[in-house]
Amino acid sequence: MISRKRLTPFLFAVIAALSLAGGYWMSQHQQQRGLPAIPNDFEATVFPEARELIPFQLVDQDNQPFTPERLKHKWSMLFFGYTHCPDVCPTTLKALQDFWQELAEPVRNKTQVVFVSVDPKRDPPATIKPYVQFFDPSFIGVTGDLGQMTAFTRSLGVLYEYVSAGEGKEYGVNHSAQIILIDPQARLRAVFPPPHEPDEMRKNYLKIVNFYKE
Amino acid sequence: MFRKQAVLLLCLLSGLFTQSALAGQSVNDAWIADAPAVARIRAGYLKLHNNADHEIAIKGFRSADFASIELHKTMIENGMMKMDEIPYLYLKAGEQVEFKPGGYHLMMFTPKRKLNTGDKVEIQILYGNGKTSTFRAEVRKRGNQMQHDHEHHQ
């Protein structure tokens, strides 16, 4: 039995799964019809047609506006988590550090890594700044208004829910595990499912980036 | 004559002592992940081996360097990352459990001092039978140690 609390994330998960399946079907279909192909043979889901993002107004680690404009002119790897997460978030950020630091400089110059906190209440810019910069001084941390955050993440198929750990205890946050790739026109381009192994991720990332370079 | 018996007795006793030393739990490769100073919760990892010939229960961990410690397990379910608190961990006779990134970990709340790489932290294991044992964990930088779930690979 699905409780009311879990129903919303569940529905979104179903919608996300259906859109992924739809995307896959379309990609197959397009290839058969000779329409623009998408790269295959790697562990990421690439959308046959890049999707525009909805407008959003968040803030970065320096309390500067973070809007779709900030996702333009570079490829962006977005990971969603929270600083009270001791295991999987730092593990993934470590993987992104390795992914990033081993990129050849020309590619690195057109790549940015963005950590988005889905726990903006406990993660103000002052917290998120030293947190992301511990992994790399160039990493961007994003936080902001919870309503804006929810709209932004849902439009990307990223889900999260707050889980009470009992009275007097810090709450936990369940959240989507995927890394989202946004193209230099600020459009959703691909999704990297876990596990995130840096070398594998870099190989797949380069395939996508090279495929779409003008 | 007595001497022979004494030697025999000593042999038996030393045998017993060796046995009791083995019939415990051993901890290897215990470490706490270096983390941003602003992080209020840290993760600890270790290999825990039950050398006893019977099942043991672990009901918790504690350390003077942290406000509290909980035992958690990270799980990925339907693409969602979750952490479940494990109230009791049972280890069968001879069983080894590895706490590692992406799996079992110690969730260590509010460090009471600044922890630098190389620092050692004493941690106590609290057993179901009321006994305790102590081990030391070293603060280390994270390597590339994400737990691989090969079932998800094609």
Side-chain angles (χ1 to χ4, degrees):
Chain A
M1 188 68 189
I2 299 161
S3 71
R4 197 187 189 114
K5 188 172 149 268
R6 296 195 176 259
L7 187 61
T8 313
F10 174 75
L11 280 178
F12 275 97
V14 168
I15 293 166
L18 284 176
S19 5
L20 284 179
Y24 178 75
W25 179 82
M26 274 173 61
S27 74
Q28 296 297 309
H29 207 63
Q30 283 186 332
Q31 275 168 359
Q32 282 164 14
R33 284 162 51 203
L35 285 170
I38 55 169
N40 50 27
D41 173 37
F42 54 82
E43 291 174 21
T45 305
V46 179
F47 296 101
E49 300 214 19
R51 299 182 188 179
E52 298 291 337
L53 302 185
I54 59 154
F56 58 86
Q57 185 96 42
L58 296 163
V59 291
D60 72 5
Q61 74 278 3
D62 295 313
N63 219 357
Q64 295 302 305
F66 193 88
T67 59
E69 208 49 40
R70 295 283 298 276
L71 293 170
K72 285 183 179 161
H73 316 299
K74 282 193 177 190
W75 288 89
S76 307
M77 292 285 266
L78 269 60
F79 175 64
F80 301 82
Y82 61 114
T83 69
H84 280 63
C85 158
D87 179 49
V88 89
C89 302
T91 304
T92 308
L93 281 164
K94 169 66 185 158
L96 280 165
Q97 178 195 72
D98 292 347
F99 156 85
W100 161 261
Q101 290 178 353
E102 296 282 316
L103 281 175
E105 211 183 324
V107 192
R108 207 195 306 155
N109 289 340
K110 55 177 187 178
T111 307
Q112 59 185 6
V113 174
V114 183
F115 175 70
V116 182
S117 171
V118 292
D119 186 14
K121 193 178 143 201
R122 287 186 299 190
D123 289 340
T127 300
I128 210 160
K129 182 173 179 162
Y131 189 81
V132 285
Q133 293 190 344
F134 173 85
F135 295 94
D136 194 283
S138 76
F139 283 8
I140 297 168
V142 173
T143 180
D145 173 72
L146 184 61
Q148 287 285 318
M149 187 59 78
T150 307
F152 173 57
T153 50
R154 278 186 179 172
S155 76
L156 296 172
V158 168
L159 312 170
Y160 58 90
E161 58 177 353
Y162 299 126
V163 195
S164 165
E167 211 172 309
K169 284 187 171 184
E170 301 269 12
Y171 59 88
V173 186
N174 295 340
H175 58 99
S176 294
Q178 69 261 38
I179 288 172
I180 301 277
L181 179 61
I182 305 289
D183 75 11
Q185 289 81 46
R187 299 174 306 178
L188 171 59
R189 181 47 88 180
V191 173
F192 292 84
H196 298 116
E197 200 282 312
D199 294 341
E200 198 62 29
M201 199 153 60
R202 193 179 318 104
K203 207 170 75 190
N204 294 324
Y205 171 78
L206 291 174
K207 270 190 199 172
I208 300 173
V209 169
N210 289 328
F211 186 87
Y212 287 108
K213 86 171 162 216
E214 304 80 348
Chain B
M1 174 83 171
F2 278 112
R3 208 163 171 176
K4 253 187 186 170
Q5 284 171 337
V7 169
L8 191 67
L9 190 66
L10 269 176
C11 288
L12 280 170
L13 279 174
S14 73
L16 275 174
F17 282 124
T18 317
Q19 196 58 36
S20 75
L22 281 174
Q25 287 71 47
S26 55
V27 169
N28 290 302
D29 206 18
W31 61 288
I32 295 169
D34 189 24
V38 72
R40 288 185 45 216
I41 307 180
R42 304 299 176 95
Y45 306 102
L46 61 143
K47 289 185 183 120
L48 186 61
H49 192 179
N50 177 17
N51 302 310
D53 58 1
H54 53 85
E55 185 180 76
I56 57 155
I58 291 174
K59 65 174 182 185
F61 294 81
R62 70 176 169 217
S63 168
D65 289 327
F66 288 88
S68 62
I69 300 179
E70 290 177 6
L71 173 53
H72 281 246
K73 191 179 183 189
T74 297
M75 286 180 301
I76 299 183
E77 260 177 44
N78 302 321
M80 294 281 274
M81 286 185 180
K82 304 179 173 199
M83 284 196 304
D84 270 9
E85 187 177 354
I86 311 287
Y88 267 86
L89 178 67
Y90 294 96
L91 270 80
K92 293 194 182 70
E95 190 179 354
Q96 177 170 290
V97 172
E98 189 176 356
F99 291 47
K100 57 184 173 182
Y104 283 112
H105 57 275
L106 300 181
M107 189 161 173
M108 314 175 85
F109 292 85
T110 323
K112 292 186 180 171
R113 62 180 171 106
K114 190 176 185 306
L115 295 171
N116 300 307
T117 8
D119 285 358
K120 302 271 200 312
V121 171
E122 267 194 10
I123 302 172
Q124 263 192 333
I125 305 179
L126 315 174
Y127 297 98
N129 62 5
K131 291 187 177 162
T132 60
S133 68
T134 303
F135 66 93
R136 295 174 98 197
E138 188 187 28
V139 180
R140 279 189 218 159
K141 290 198 185 305
R142 284 181 185 272
N144 173 25
Q145 294 178 347
M146 183 65 169
Q147 185 178 29
H148 285 255
D149 188 344
H150 288 281
E151 282 168 9
H152 289 291
H153 281 268
Q154 275 128 33

